[in-house]
């Protein structure tokens, strides 16, 4: 519960800073949030599956099969996201045209679409590895990873959007920071093997 609360608060913080950049920036960000949420469903579904399957095979005493399982799920998740990435990058204006905001809006939003498209690829493996940690039953490690990631994320968005006042394209680069930070810590923890023989 704390983890989800932290994520929501950080997301709200991001949008407060985006709002300081004007109505156009906010409109673009709301549009990209919808696109990110729509296509992110696939990664979240695989992440939930990872959580359940990792927990299940650890419960069966098959700890040695955890990492190969996670890698297989990552490959499937990444394949789906790669297909979506290609569609978004190939015809970003087509997706943006559904929002009927005009040509200027579309042109301003296209660079952000590219950033978000790459973030979807990062999410496709970052969220899988985080949920693998959840599946081991070590919720404290999971929460620590989330807390550190959010601190890094909020620091980045403050510096980029508020302190340096850079364009929102840079602000959306926070998704890269978020997923890479999360992935790095979760991956290192899973590879360390410290979760093995833990009672769930």
């Amino acid at each position: 519960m704390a983890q989800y609360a932290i994520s929501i608060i950080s997301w709200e913080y991001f949008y407060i800073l985006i709002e300081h950049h004007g109505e156009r920036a906010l409109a673009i960000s709301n549009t990209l949030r919808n696109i990110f949420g729509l296509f992110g469903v696939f990664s979240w579904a695989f992440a939930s599956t990872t959580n359940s399957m990792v927990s299940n095979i650890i419960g069966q005493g098959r700890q040695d099969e955890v990492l190969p399982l996670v890698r297989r799920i990552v490959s499937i998740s990444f394949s789906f996201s790669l297909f979506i990435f290609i569609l978004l990058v190939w015809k970003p204006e087509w997706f943006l045209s559904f929002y009927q905001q005009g040509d200027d809006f579309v042109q301003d939003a296209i660079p952000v679409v590219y950033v978000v498209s790459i973030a979807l690829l990062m999410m496709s493996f970052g969220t899988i590895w985080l949920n693998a940690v959840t599946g081991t039953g070590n919720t404290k490690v999971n929460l620590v990873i989330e807390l550190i990631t959010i601190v890094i994320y909020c620091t980045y968005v403050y510096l980029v959007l508020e302190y340096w006042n850079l364009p929102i394209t840079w602000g959306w680069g926070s998704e890269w920071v978020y997923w890479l930070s999360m992935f790095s810590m979760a991956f290192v923890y899973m590879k360390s093997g410290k979760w093995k023989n833990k009672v769930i």
Side-chain angles (χ1 to χ4, degrees):
M1 287 174 62
Q3 183 180 336
Y4 287 118
I6 292 166
S7 297
I8 292 170
I9 290 168
S10 64
W11 194 242
E12 289 299 323
Y13 179 65
F14 173 75
Y15 271 89
I16 288 170
L17 297 184
I18 285 288
E19 195 172 14
H20 295 171
H21 286 249
E23 291 184 8
R24 172 61 62 86
L26 187 60
I28 291 172
S29 293
N30 282 328
T31 300
L32 269 296
R33 179 183 61 181
N34 293 337
I35 292 174
F36 191 77
L38 175 64
F39 293 119
V41 167
F42 297 102
S43 294
W44 288 318
F46 285 117
S48 180
T49 301
T50 304
N51 185 346
S52 299
M53 293 185 72
V54 166
S55 180
N56 184 281
I57 63 174
I58 290 177
Q60 295 178 42
R62 297 156 56 193
Q63 288 94 336
D64 292 340
E65 296 180 32
V66 169
L67 294 182
L69 168 69
V70 174
R71 291 191 190 99
R72 283 197 298 273
I73 297 173
V74 164
S75 66
I76 298 170
S77 176
F78 186 82
S79 298
F80 271 85
S81 293
L82 183 60
F83 176 72
I84 294 165
F85 169 83
I86 292 169
L87 287 179
L88 285 172
V89 171
W90 179 47
K91 286 287 185 182
E93 63 276 1
W94 186 79
F95 289 96
L96 293 167
S97 66
F98 284 103
Y99 295 89
Q100 300 180 341
Q101 295 288 330
D103 292 339
D104 289 343
F105 175 89
V106 170
Q107 292 307 311
D108 289 344
I110 284 176
V112 187
V113 172
Y114 294 147
V115 172
V116 169
S117 299
I118 295 171
L120 282 168
L121 291 178
M122 295 177 175
M123 178 187 179
S124 71
F125 55 83
T127 191
I128 301 296
W129 283 100
L130 182 70
N131 276 267
V133 176
T134 307
T136 66
N138 201 333
T139 54
K140 289 182 181 178
V141 169
N142 200 298
L143 182 59
V144 168
I145 290 173
E146 186 74 35
L147 281 170
I148 294 172
T149 300
I150 291 301
V151 168
I152 295 170
Y153 172 88
C154 288
T155 301
Y156 175 89
V157 295
Y158 172 76
L159 290 173
V160 168
L161 294 174
E162 195 73 9
Y163 188 76
W164 292 318
N165 198 34
L166 295 175
I168 62 165
T169 307
W170 285 91
W172 273 93
S174 60
E175 290 297 317
W176 296 8
V177 172
Y178 180 85
W179 293 112
L180 283 177
S181 299
M182 180 178 290
F183 161 71
S184 300
M185 288 181 280
F187 180 80
V188 168
Y189 175 74
M190 292 301 295
K191 288 288 286 185
S192 73
K194 292 179 180 178
W195 50 270
K196 290 185 178 180
N197 303 316
K198 178 176 174 60
V199 178
I200 299 180

PDB file of all heavy atoms in Angstrom, residues 24 26-29 31-32 96 99-110:
ATOM      1  N   ARG A  24      -0.329  24.181 -22.802  1.00  0.00           N
ATOM      2  CA  ARG A  24       0.053  23.278 -23.896  1.00  0.00           C
ATOM      3  C   ARG A  24       0.871  22.115 -23.359  1.00  0.00           C
ATOM      4  O   ARG A  24       0.644  20.956 -23.721  1.00  0.00           O
ATOM      5  CB  ARG A  24       0.843  24.060 -24.958  1.00  0.00           C
ATOM      6  CG  ARG A  24       1.483  23.201 -26.064  1.00  0.00           C
ATOM      7  CD  ARG A  24       0.457  22.410 -26.876  1.00  0.00           C
ATOM      8  NE  ARG A  24      -0.455  23.241 -27.571  1.00  0.00           N
ATOM      9  CZ  ARG A  24      -0.245  23.767 -28.791  1.00  0.00           C
ATOM     10  NH1 ARG A  24       0.881  23.540 -29.422  1.00  0.00           N
ATOM     11  NH2 ARG A  24      -1.174  24.501 -29.369  1.00  0.00           N
ATOM     12  N   LEU A  26       0.823  20.896 -20.365  1.00  0.00           N
ATOM     13  CA  LEU A  26      -0.056  20.032 -19.579  1.00  0.00           C
ATOM     14  C   LEU A  26      -0.932  19.167 -20.477  1.00  0.00           C
ATOM     15  O   LEU A  26      -1.137  17.983 -20.207  1.00  0.00           O
ATOM     16  CB  LEU A  26      -0.927  20.887 -18.647  1.00  0.00           C
ATOM     17  CG  LEU A  26      -1.781  20.137 -17.629  1.00  0.00           C
ATOM     18  CD1 LEU A  26      -0.918  19.304 -16.689  1.00  0.00           C
ATOM     19  CD2 LEU A  26      -2.641  21.120 -16.831  1.00  0.00           C
ATOM     20  N   ALA A  27      -1.446  19.761 -21.555  1.00  0.00           N
ATOM     21  CA  ALA A  27      -2.296  19.017 -22.493  1.00  0.00           C
ATOM     22  C   ALA A  27      -1.508  17.889 -23.161  1.00  0.00           C
ATOM     23  O   ALA A  27      -2.002  16.761 -23.302  1.00  0.00           O
ATOM     24  CB  ALA A  27      -2.858  19.964 -23.553  1.00  0.00           C
ATOM     25  N   ILE A  28      -0.274  18.186 -23.570  1.00  0.00           N
ATOM     26  CA  ILE A  28       0.581  17.167 -24.186  1.00  0.00           C
ATOM     27  C   ILE A  28       0.860  16.043 -23.193  1.00  0.00           C
ATOM     28  O   ILE A  28       0.781  14.855 -23.526  1.00  0.00           O
ATOM     29  CB  ILE A  28       1.899  17.784 -24.687  1.00  0.00           C
ATOM     30  CG1 ILE A  28       1.638  18.703 -25.891  1.00  0.00           C
ATOM     31  CG2 ILE A  28       2.914  16.700 -25.052  1.00  0.00           C
ATOM     32  CD1 ILE A  28       2.846  19.515 -26.327  1.00  0.00           C
ATOM     33  N   SER A  29       1.156  16.414 -21.972  1.00  0.00           N
ATOM     34  CA  SER A  29       1.478  15.416 -20.947  1.00  0.00           C
ATOM     35  C   SER A  29       0.279  14.547 -20.611  1.00  0.00           C
ATOM     36  O   SER A  29       0.420  13.338 -20.403  1.00  0.00           O
ATOM     37  CB  SER A  29       1.995  16.113 -19.677  1.00  0.00           C
ATOM     38  OG  SER A  29       3.234  16.729 -19.934  1.00  0.00           O
ATOM     39  N   THR A  31      -2.111  13.791 -22.679  1.00  0.00           N
ATOM     40  CA  THR A  31      -2.262  12.904 -23.836  1.00  0.00           C
ATOM     41  C   THR A  31      -1.274  11.748 -23.767  1.00  0.00           C
ATOM     42  O   THR A  31      -1.642  10.590 -23.965  1.00  0.00           O
ATOM     43  CB  THR A  31      -2.035  13.699 -25.140  1.00  0.00           C
ATOM     44  OG1 THR A  31      -2.991  14.747 -25.231  1.00  0.00           O
ATOM     45  CG2 THR A  31      -2.156  12.790 -26.353  1.00  0.00           C
ATOM     46  N   LEU A  32      -0.021  12.078 -23.441  1.00  0.00           N
ATOM     47  CA  LEU A  32       1.006  11.035 -23.367  1.00  0.00           C
ATOM     48  C   LEU A  32       0.774  10.100 -22.189  1.00  0.00           C
ATOM     49  O   LEU A  32       1.102   8.913 -22.251  1.00  0.00           O
ATOM     50  CB  LEU A  32       2.392  11.670 -23.282  1.00  0.00           C
ATOM     51  CG  LEU A  32       3.105  11.920 -24.623  1.00  0.00           C
ATOM     52  CD1 LEU A  32       3.378  10.592 -25.319  1.00  0.00           C
ATOM     53  CD2 LEU A  32       2.287  12.811 -25.556  1.00  0.00           C
ATOM     54  N   LEU A  96      -1.670  10.642 -32.239  1.00  0.00           N
ATOM     55  CA  LEU A  96      -1.979  11.950 -31.669  1.00  0.00           C
ATOM     56  C   LEU A  96      -3.200  12.590 -32.319  1.00  0.00           C
ATOM     57  O   LEU A  96      -3.885  13.398 -31.689  1.00  0.00           O
ATOM     58  CB  LEU A  96      -0.767  12.876 -31.806  1.00  0.00           C
ATOM     59  CG  LEU A  96       0.457  12.481 -30.970  1.00  0.00           C
ATOM     60  CD1 LEU A  96       1.679  13.268 -31.418  1.00  0.00           C
ATOM     61  CD2 LEU A  96       0.191  12.695 -29.493  1.00  0.00           C
ATOM     62  N   TYR A  99      -6.768  12.805 -30.716  1.00  0.00           N
ATOM     63  CA  TYR A  99      -7.106  13.794 -29.683  1.00  0.00           C
ATOM     64  C   TYR A  99      -7.571  15.119 -30.266  1.00  0.00           C
ATOM     65  O   TYR A  99      -7.998  16.008 -29.530  1.00  0.00           O
ATOM     66  CB  TYR A  99      -5.900  14.003 -28.752  1.00  0.00           C
ATOM     67  CG  TYR A  99      -5.575  12.753 -27.972  1.00  0.00           C
ATOM     68  CD1 TYR A  99      -4.690  11.786 -28.481  1.00  0.00           C
ATOM     69  CD2 TYR A  99      -6.163  12.498 -26.743  1.00  0.00           C
ATOM     70  CE1 TYR A  99      -4.401  10.626 -27.775  1.00  0.00           C
ATOM     71  CE2 TYR A  99      -5.885  11.334 -26.038  1.00  0.00           C
ATOM     72  CZ  TYR A  99      -4.998  10.406 -26.560  1.00  0.00           C
ATOM     73  OH  TYR A  99      -4.729   9.254 -25.859  1.00  0.00           O
ATOM     74  N   GLN A 100      -7.477  15.260 -31.605  1.00  0.00           N
ATOM     75  CA  GLN A 100      -8.020  16.409 -32.335  1.00  0.00           C
ATOM     76  C   GLN A 100      -7.625  17.744 -31.706  1.00  0.00           C
ATOM     77  O   GLN A 100      -8.466  18.596 -31.419  1.00  0.00           O
ATOM     78  CB  GLN A 100      -9.556  16.289 -32.409  1.00  0.00           C
ATOM     79  CG  GLN A 100     -10.014  15.037 -33.129  1.00  0.00           C
ATOM     80  CD  GLN A 100     -11.522  14.900 -33.208  1.00  0.00           C
ATOM     81  OE1 GLN A 100     -12.256  15.534 -32.452  1.00  0.00           O
ATOM     82  NE2 GLN A 100     -12.003  14.078 -34.125  1.00  0.00           N
ATOM     83  N   GLN A 101      -6.329  17.906 -31.521  1.00  0.00           N
ATOM     84  CA  GLN A 101      -5.819  19.136 -30.905  1.00  0.00           C
ATOM     85  C   GLN A 101      -5.146  20.073 -31.916  1.00  0.00           C
ATOM     86  O   GLN A 101      -4.649  21.120 -31.538  1.00  0.00           O
ATOM     87  CB  GLN A 101      -4.819  18.777 -29.800  1.00  0.00           C
ATOM     88  CG  GLN A 101      -5.413  18.034 -28.629  1.00  0.00           C
ATOM     89  CD  GLN A 101      -6.293  18.917 -27.768  1.00  0.00           C
ATOM     90  OE1 GLN A 101      -6.073  20.117 -27.656  1.00  0.00           O
ATOM     91  NE2 GLN A 101      -7.310  18.331 -27.164  1.00  0.00           N
ATOM     92  N   GLY A 102      -5.108  19.676 -33.177  1.00  0.00           N
ATOM     93  CA  GLY A 102      -4.507  20.538 -34.190  1.00  0.00           C
ATOM     94  C   GLY A 102      -3.074  20.152 -34.530  1.00  0.00           C
ATOM     95  O   GLY A 102      -2.409  19.430 -33.783  1.00  0.00           O
ATOM     96  N   ASP A 103      -2.605  20.674 -35.656  1.00  0.00           N
ATOM     97  CA  ASP A 103      -1.277  20.315 -36.165  1.00  0.00           C
ATOM     98  C   ASP A 103      -0.152  20.797 -35.257  1.00  0.00           C
ATOM     99  O   ASP A 103       0.859  20.110 -35.093  1.00  0.00           O
ATOM    100  CB  ASP A 103      -1.083  20.884 -37.572  1.00  0.00           C
ATOM    101  CG  ASP A 103      -1.991  20.202 -38.595  1.00  0.00           C
ATOM    102  OD1 ASP A 103      -2.441  19.070 -38.312  1.00  0.00           O
ATOM    103  OD2 ASP A 103      -2.234  20.794 -39.663  1.00  0.00           O
ATOM    104  N   ASP A 104      -0.298  21.999 -34.706  1.00  0.00           N
ATOM    105  CA  ASP A 104       0.754  22.526 -33.827  1.00  0.00           C
ATOM    106  C   ASP A 104       0.931  21.638 -32.601  1.00  0.00           C
ATOM    107  O   ASP A 104       2.057  21.368 -32.170  1.00  0.00           O
ATOM    108  CB  ASP A 104       0.424  23.953 -33.379  1.00  0.00           C
ATOM    109  CG  ASP A 104       0.548  24.951 -34.515  1.00  0.00           C
ATOM    110  OD1 ASP A 104       1.184  24.617 -35.528  1.00  0.00           O
ATOM    111  OD2 ASP A 104      -0.010  26.058 -34.386  1.00  0.00           O
ATOM    112  N   PHE A 105      -0.179  21.195 -32.062  1.00  0.00           N
ATOM    113  CA  PHE A 105      -0.142  20.306 -30.899  1.00  0.00           C
ATOM    114  C   PHE A 105       0.587  19.010 -31.249  1.00  0.00           C
ATOM    115  O   PHE A 105       1.438  18.542 -30.490  1.00  0.00           O
ATOM    116  CB  PHE A 105      -1.564  19.995 -30.437  1.00  0.00           C
ATOM    117  CG  PHE A 105      -1.647  19.001 -29.318  1.00  0.00           C
ATOM    118  CD1 PHE A 105      -1.605  19.413 -27.992  1.00  0.00           C
ATOM    119  CD2 PHE A 105      -1.784  17.633 -29.581  1.00  0.00           C
ATOM    120  CE1 PHE A 105      -1.684  18.500 -26.958  1.00  0.00           C
ATOM    121  CE2 PHE A 105      -1.853  16.716 -28.559  1.00  0.00           C
ATOM    122  CZ  PHE A 105      -1.800  17.157 -27.240  1.00  0.00           C
ATOM    123  N   VAL A 106       0.248  18.449 -32.401  1.00  0.00           N
ATOM    124  CA  VAL A 106       0.856  17.191 -32.838  1.00  0.00           C
ATOM    125  C   VAL A 106       2.367  17.346 -32.985  1.00  0.00           C
ATOM    126  O   VAL A 106       3.142  16.506 -32.510  1.00  0.00           O
ATOM    127  CB  VAL A 106       0.226  16.705 -34.163  1.00  0.00           C
ATOM    128  CG1 VAL A 106       1.024  15.544 -34.749  1.00  0.00           C
ATOM    129  CG2 VAL A 106      -1.229  16.305 -33.950  1.00  0.00           C
ATOM    130  N   GLN A 107       2.790  18.433 -33.625  1.00  0.00           N
ATOM    131  CA  GLN A 107       4.224  18.658 -33.830  1.00  0.00           C
ATOM    132  C   GLN A 107       4.970  18.842 -32.512  1.00  0.00           C
ATOM    133  O   GLN A 107       6.098  18.356 -32.350  1.00  0.00           O
ATOM    134  CB  GLN A 107       4.446  19.882 -34.740  1.00  0.00           C
ATOM    135  CG  GLN A 107       3.997  19.674 -36.175  1.00  0.00           C
ATOM    136  CD  GLN A 107       4.596  18.435 -36.819  1.00  0.00           C
ATOM    137  OE1 GLN A 107       5.816  18.229 -36.750  1.00  0.00           O
ATOM    138  NE2 GLN A 107       3.779  17.599 -37.429  1.00  0.00           N
ATOM    139  N   ASP A 108       4.343  19.527 -31.571  1.00  0.00           N
ATOM    140  CA  ASP A 108       4.971  19.726 -30.260  1.00  0.00           C
ATOM    141  C   ASP A 108       5.033  18.427 -29.457  1.00  0.00           C
ATOM    142  O   ASP A 108       5.944  18.231 -28.641  1.00  0.00           O
ATOM    143  CB  ASP A 108       4.197  20.778 -29.444  1.00  0.00           C
ATOM    144  CG  ASP A 108       4.381  22.185 -29.995  1.00  0.00           C
ATOM    145  OD1 ASP A 108       5.306  22.400 -30.792  1.00  0.00           O
ATOM    146  OD2 ASP A 108       3.572  23.073 -29.623  1.00  0.00           O
ATOM    147  N   ALA A 109       4.053  17.557 -29.683  1.00  0.00           N
ATOM    148  CA  ALA A 109       3.952  16.327 -28.895  1.00  0.00           C
ATOM    149  C   ALA A 109       4.835  15.192 -29.428  1.00  0.00           C
ATOM    150  O   ALA A 109       5.200  14.296 -28.668  1.00  0.00           O
ATOM    151  CB  ALA A 109       2.505  15.859 -28.835  1.00  0.00           C
ATOM    152  N   ILE A 110       5.173  15.224 -30.699  1.00  0.00           N
ATOM    153  CA  ILE A 110       5.931  14.120 -31.312  1.00  0.00           C
ATOM    154  C   ILE A 110       7.245  13.814 -30.588  1.00  0.00           C
ATOM    155  O   ILE A 110       7.545  12.642 -30.308  1.00  0.00           O
ATOM    156  CB  ILE A 110       6.162  14.370 -32.818  1.00  0.00           C
ATOM    157  CG1 ILE A 110       4.857  14.103 -33.586  1.00  0.00           C
ATOM    158  CG2 ILE A 110       7.267  13.474 -33.370  1.00  0.00           C
ATOM    159  CD1 ILE A 110       4.921  14.412 -35.075  1.00  0.00           C
TER     160      ILE A 110
END
